[in-house]
Amino acid sequence: MPGQRLLSLVASLCALLMLAGCSTALKPVVHDPDFRLSSVKDSFITDQRRMHLAPDSPNTGFQLLNSGRDAFLMRAALIETAEQFIDAQYYIWNNDSTGRYLAGRLVAAADRGVQVRLLLDDINVAGKEPLFAAMAIHPNIRVRIFNPARSRSGVGRWLSLITDFDRINRRMHNKTFVVDGQVGIAGGRNIGDEYFDEHPSLNFRDRDVMVLGPLAEDMTANFEAYWNNQWAYPLATLYDLPDNLAGRDALSQLLRETAADPGIRAVPHQEQGAAETYLRGWFAGMVQAPGELVFDPPPQDPQVPADSPQNTARALYGLVQAAQSEILIESAYLILADNQLDNLGALDNQPLKVAALTNSLATNDLVTNHSGYARWRREMLEQGIELYELRPDAPACQHWVASRPACEQGAVSLHSKAVVFDRETLFIGSFNVNLRSIYLNGETVLIIHSPELATAVAEDIRYAMSPENSWQVTLDEQGDLVWQSKGEQVGHEPGVGFWRRATSRFLSWLPIEKYL
């Protein structure tokens, strides 16, 4: 009987939910304090700091990493020059060519005595545990997983996301990489081929900043706030590591061999002298400016619903209030709802031009996230915000991505996150201008008070907004949405087929934009 089968299905689902909810509860971890030197010994990095920054200067040295190739080579070179410790904190670390290469070089750094700490958000760890296990078995490498699901695989993992909804939605989206406490990288990039111009068909337009000086020390404080949090679990408590010496050595050796022949187009420097020569050029070109690092600390109780804007969101709103003439937004995922639009409309610093670049449905890697933007797109336009959506065939790809064939054969997607105020102040980091970053995710941002850097990013955003690279979305005389680009105008989401448009439209009816 159909009714009986339906009842049986419902009963089975309920049983699975109960099992997931009753699975072994995760207990908060009490960590032993990490031993860290109170001061960093003389090294190549400390020499560079003394050479380029006066000891009593309040400024930090900044260098934009606009291409994926540069961002990859910079991380690789910093690993080779590390002498004491490396702290890496990421939302995603892929088990692909660049992910395995950097993992292998971290093992090589650990071989020479560098202490490595790797902190990963759990949401993207499933299936990649062997890669991290190959690192964690090294005596000089520790790996922790932030805010893990109770069940580690299969249906149980997905069911645990439902039964533990509020906690699981509090993600560590921060992305920082710090070497010897003196130099660091923060921005929008995760670790993976698509972030470093190595993917054959889809590459992200992204943006990082290399930091030399005081703000790198603040990045370490950001890292340790999560590393020592009670919801950061050693990998060995969640995943069985090899317990025999032969198995442990084989895993680490595999990573070393992978790093020796990574099969990537970039050619990183593995010899310390060559890496130092490469870095000297970047350090010499740094822009010195005042700045601040702002981060959202991990929640005291991740089970409690998140209803208040976090540190990074409040810092952003303070800059919005102070803006006088122009705000340029570059955000992979863009969602401004009632509260944010009401606050923007209430500002007394008019006339203020606000323009935003985000993904089109054709370039967005997540239809769900685009649907949340589409739900509020009309309201953003009515508030006076100029909206531009990236084209998948944007010629700008040739300027952003090091691999020309990847642009010709594939597509480009926007993943960068930056806001420029009056071409004087740059707000850049892991923060998307959307509700998830405002309320739920842990984020890290740099606020850089440099007209030189702010103008450079502003001009890059405006170039991406040009008709050959993006569609401008407006309302016609009848109040309907229209997309304009290169003299063409259409009345529906361009560059995609019916089913993708229909899926986005259906999802846009659901009030789930806070969780996208």
Side-chain angles (χ1 to χ4, degrees):
M1 297 285 291
Q4 290 177 330
R5 286 197 296 269
L6 179 60
L7 286 174
S8 177
L9 179 63
V10 171
S12 298
L13 179 60
C14 290
L16 284 171
L17 287 171
M18 290 177 65
L19 285 172
C22 296
S23 60
T24 304
L26 290 173
K27 296 179 181 179
V29 180
V30 178
H31 299 288
D32 293 329
D34 277 337
F35 173 74
R36 271 299 162 91
L37 298 174
S38 58
S39 61
V40 177
K41 66 181 181 182
D42 284 347
S43 66
F44 167 74
I45 298 297
T46 57
D47 288 346
Q48 292 300 304
R49 179 171 178 171
R50 282 193 291 266
M51 184 181 302
H52 297 291
L53 293 173
D56 56 349
S57 172
N59 291 343
T60 292
F62 299 101
Q63 183 72 269
L64 293 173
L65 301 175
N66 285 320
S67 80
R69 178 68 52 83
D70 288 339
F72 173 72
L73 293 176
M74 181 62 66
R75 286 168 171 83
L78 287 174
I79 291 173
E80 304 308 322
T81 58
E83 296 191 27
Q84 290 185 273
F85 56 87
I86 298 172
D87 292 332
Q89 175 186 24
Y90 282 98
Y91 182 63
I92 297 172
W93 190 300
N94 283 336
N95 186 6
D96 56 14
S97 296
T98 54
R100 288 188 294 272
Y101 176 83
L102 293 176
R105 296 315 296 168
L106 287 175
V107 170
D111 286 343
R112 64 176 189 267
V114 176
Q115 298 293 317
V116 177
R117 298 188 295 182
L118 176 61
L119 179 60
L120 301 166
D121 187 83
D122 182 58
I123 205 72
N124 293 287
V125 164
K128 304 168 188 171
E129 292 93 344
L131 172 66
F132 308 129
M135 302 170 69
I137 59 179
H138 196 291
N140 287 337
I141 300 179
R142 283 164 292 168
V143 179
R144 290 181 185 173
I145 308 300
F146 181 75
N147 198 16
R150 291 188 177 96
S151 298
R152 303 308 303 153
S153 61
V155 176
R157 181 173 173 84
W158 289 106
L159 290 177
S160 68
L161 303 183
I162 299 172
T163 58
D164 226 356
F165 185 78
D166 285 323
R167 180 177 71 82
I168 295 299
N169 264 290
R170 304 301 297 272
R171 302 318 324 166
M172 184 192 76
H173 196 239
N174 318 58
K175 305 166 178 67
T176 62
F177 187 88
V178 184
V179 173
D180 291 343
Q182 302 290 305
V183 61
I185 298 174
R189 288 186 179 91
N190 295 294
I191 303 299
D193 291 353
E194 62 268 37
Y195 301 96
F196 295 134
D197 298 355
E198 290 289 342
H199 197 281
S201 59
L202 175 63
N203 288 276
F204 287 125
R205 193 302 181 259
D206 219 326
R207 210 185 292 276
D208 288 326
V209 182
M210 183 174 71
V211 171
L212 178 68
L215 294 194
E217 299 168 8
D218 292 345
M219 284 186 201
T220 298
N222 166 21
F223 177 91
E224 294 197 333
Y226 284 84
W227 181 257
N228 294 315
N229 183 261
Q230 61 183 352
W231 293 98
Y233 289 76
L235 182 67
T237 65
L238 303 171
Y239 182 80
D240 292 331
L241 302 181
D243 57 4
N244 63 82
L245 188 60
R248 296 161 71 94
D249 287 346
L251 278 175
S252 287
Q253 185 59 31
L254 180 62
L255 273 185
R256 294 184 187 95
E257 292 172 357
T258 300
D261 184 19
I264 54 180
R265 289 182 291 270
V267 183
H269 302 288
Q270 291 192 3
E271 195 273 324
Q272 183 176 356
E276 290 179 358
T277 299
Y278 173 79
L279 290 173
R280 282 191 184 95
W282 284 92
F283 286 134
M286 294 191 108
V287 174
Q288 294 189 35
E292 307 100 54
L293 183 132
V294 182
F295 71 92
D296 303 317
Q300 297 258 344
D301 183 358
Q303 312 266 19
V304 175
D307 298 320
S308 300
Q310 301 185 98
N311 289 354
T312 51
R314 292 196 298 271
L316 177 62
Y317 186 60
L319 293 171
V320 170
Q321 287 181 304
Q324 296 299 310
S325 59
E326 179 190 60
I327 300 175
L328 291 176
I329 301 169
E330 177 185 56
S331 184
Y333 312 124
L334 176 67
I335 302 175
L336 296 175
D338 280 335
N339 288 344
Q340 295 75 40
L341 292 173
D342 288 346
N343 289 337
L344 190 60
L347 294 176
D348 58 6
N349 48 355
Q350 305 296 335
L352 177 66
K353 178 178 287 189
V354 181
L357 171 70
T358 191
N359 277 302
S360 63
L361 182 54
T363 63
N364 205 315
D365 60 322
L366 296 170
V367 175
T368 49
N369 288 37
H370 185 83
S371 71
Y373 157 72
R375 179 180 174 87
W376 290 95
R377 181 166 43 199
R378 177 180 298 276
E379 285 78 0
M380 286 189 273
L381 289 169
E382 290 173 345
Q383 188 62 259
I385 300 174
E386 293 179 17
L387 292 181
Y388 298 84
E389 299 179 4
L390 185 66
R391 296 177 61 105
D393 58 351
C397 180
Q398 304 288 352
H399 298 277
W400 298 336
V401 177
S403 171
R404 191 177 189 90
C407 290
E408 294 171 346
Q409 301 168 16
V412 63
S413 180
L414 187 71
H415 195 262
S416 50
K417 308 117 179 19
V419 186
V420 182
F421 298 90
D422 299 331
R423 307 204 174 202
E424 294 181 350
T425 300
L426 175 60
F427 176 98
I428 184 169
S430 66
F431 186 100
N432 287 298
V433 182
N434 69 353
L435 303 188
R436 173 165 278 283
S437 287
I438 291 171
Y439 294 105
L440 292 168
N441 284 348
E443 307 287 1
T444 303
V445 298
L446 293 162
I447 300 174
I448 306 172
H449 305 286
S450 166
E452 180 179 349
L453 295 179
T455 298
V457 175
E459 290 178 352
D460 203 11
I461 294 173
R462 279 298 185 187
Y463 168 60
M465 290 175 171
S466 61
E468 66 270 22
N469 293 315
S470 291
W471 290 289
Q472 182 176 6
V473 190
T474 59
L475 296 172
D476 64 15
E477 294 179 356
Q478 289 72 42
D480 295 325
L481 292 168
V482 293
W483 284 257
Q484 298 172 307
S485 177
K486 298 191 293 188
E488 301 173 349
Q489 179 173 304
V490 295
H492 58 73
E493 304 261 17
V496 293
F498 169 79
W499 286 112
R500 191 171 175 89
R501 292 199 302 269
T503 301
S504 176
R505 185 173 182 82
F506 169 74
L507 292 172
S508 72
W509 297 336
L510 305 177
I512 57 174
E513 58 267 34
K514 182 177 177 180
Y515 304 102
L516 301 176

